Amino acid sequence: MAYNQFTVDDLQRLFKVTIREGTDHFSGVSPVTLSEVLRTSLNDGAPIALELSTEKARSEWIIAPILLELRRQVNGAVGLFSGVDFTVDSEQGLNGFCDWLISRSSSLLTIQAPVVAIVEAKNENIRAGIPQCVAEMYAASRFNAAREVAHRFVHGVVTTGSVWRFLRLEGSTVDLDRKEYYLDEVDRIVGVLKHMVTSS
């Protein structure tokens, strides 16, 4: 099994993970002032990505520029990893390639704890991407613990590029935020991402 093969039932059965829907942890997070670099990039690239509507186009012309903006917002204090192998425990299926990982370290040589998992929803189906994201978040919690990096929360994101949904793992409980954020509120999306990498 790999991250993208998990179901909610698998997560509950194997790892005793509980998913709570309808929470609201991020509505109070302030939007950020965006750079002109991001605004120009999205103005040029987002219409093409949305028209083509392929995962690759959305990843390259929407998701990557937003994550680069996050890196600018925190003065390069995070590492961004795209399409990387994140094997934590292959015997339990906690292995596979992740769409994106954010490491709270500026190093790009290796993934360092703690991490934030970002899943690109397949076929623009946010809900279908949630089990994969939760599996990666659970693996990230194991990854952090093995490196003795204690953080109360592990965060995750499922996105189509144009729609973003945020998750938070504490212990064995995952809170799925009720709100979906859309590309026209990208200042809030980047604000939540910044909150995730700067809070415990």
Side-chain angles (χ1 to χ4, degrees), residues 30-51:
S30 299
V32 297
T33 302
L34 301 174
S35 69
E36 284 305 312
V37 174
L38 178 62
R39 291 191 183 281
T40 300
S41 181
L42 289 180
N43 285 342
D44 292 344
I48 299 170
L50 296 174
E51 184 66 28

Side-chain angles (χ1 to χ4, degrees), residues 42-144:
L42 289 180
N43 285 342
D44 292 344
I48 299 170
L50 296 174
E51 184 66 28
L52 293 175
S53 200
T54 65
E55 291 163 25
K56 189 171 188 293
R58 288 168 179 263
S59 180
E60 291 176 350
W61 291 327
I62 300 176
I63 299 171
I66 288 173
L67 296 182
L68 287 171
E69 176 69 12
L70 167 66
R71 199 163 197 261
R72 279 189 290 273
Q73 292 279 335
V74 296
N75 299 310
V78 295
L80 301 176
F81 298 87
S82 174
V84 292
D85 178 58
F86 188 54
T87 297
V88 174
D89 187 338
S90 54
E91 289 185 7
Q92 291 199 308
L94 299 175
N95 59 273
F97 288 85
C98 296
D99 295 321
W100 293 92
L101 292 176
I102 303 172
S103 173
R104 286 190 235 177
S105 163
S106 59
S107 175
L108 298 175
L109 294 174
T110 183
I111 299 166
Q112 296 186 29
V115 299
V116 175
I118 300 180
V119 170
E120 295 176 26
K122 307 303 181 269
N123 302 313
E124 299 180 45
N125 186 339
I126 289 281
R127 197 163 188 85
I130 290 169
Q132 178 181 344
C133 189
V134 172
E136 292 179 15
M137 292 165 67
Y138 182 80
S141 71
R142 296 265 305 271
F143 181 83
N144 296 346

